[in-house]
Each structure stands twice: as structure tokens, then as C-alpha cells.
Amino acid sequence: MELLPGDRENLAIQTRGGPEKHEVTGWVLISPLSKEDAGEYECHASNAKGEATASAKIHVVETLQEIALTK
């Protein structure tokens, strides 16, 4: 596990207010994206009202043909 943002030159973490009053939206920008950036990313947030966790997986492909199509 690696704590972000760390010293990675291609990664930035951004936050802004909203979408509702007293809320904050945050995101991670990875640019340029490479195969080394593939993996699972987790976000942990906490305040006086409680805690929340969310996760997402990034799978990096070289071509569109590598994307599995599912219905």
C-alpha cells in the first residue's frame, strides 16, 4: 500500500466545495496514465459526523481491443 499523493510526479489530488452546501468533492488525477498506475485505489474520509470509505480499480490497456465488452 502507498499513501498518496506521495512524491509521484504524475499524480495530483484535488478537492473543491460542493455539490451541496457543507460538502466537499475530491478526486485523483493521474496524468499521464501508465501500466504502473493500475491497481486498486481507496479513499478514506472522516469528520465529526463519522467516516466513509470508497474504492475504485484502474485497469490500463494499450488498445481498445483489450477492453472486455459485457452487457
Side-chain angles (χ1 to χ4, degrees), residues 2-71:
E2 173 187 0
L3 294 178
L4 300 178
D7 291 331
R8 293 172 55 180
E9 292 183 8
N10 69 331
L11 190 136
I13 295 176
Q14 300 288 318
T15 59
R16 69 169 181 84
E20 301 293 329
K21 188 176 181 180
H22 305 297
E23 289 185 348
V24 175
T25 299
W27 64 95
V28 173
L29 173 66
I30 304 172
S31 180
L33 185 66
S34 70
K35 287 230 180 226
E36 289 78 29
D37 298 308
E40 186 167 359
Y41 290 76
E42 293 183 354
C43 177
H44 301 269
S46 64
N47 64 19
K49 298 292 183 180
E51 298 179 4
T53 301
S55 64
K57 292 181 182 179
I58 295 178
H59 178 76
V60 180
V61 297
E62 297 289 332
T63 66
L64 292 178
Q65 287 73 29
E66 293 180 57
I67 298 173
L69 298 178
T70 59
K71 289 187 177 186

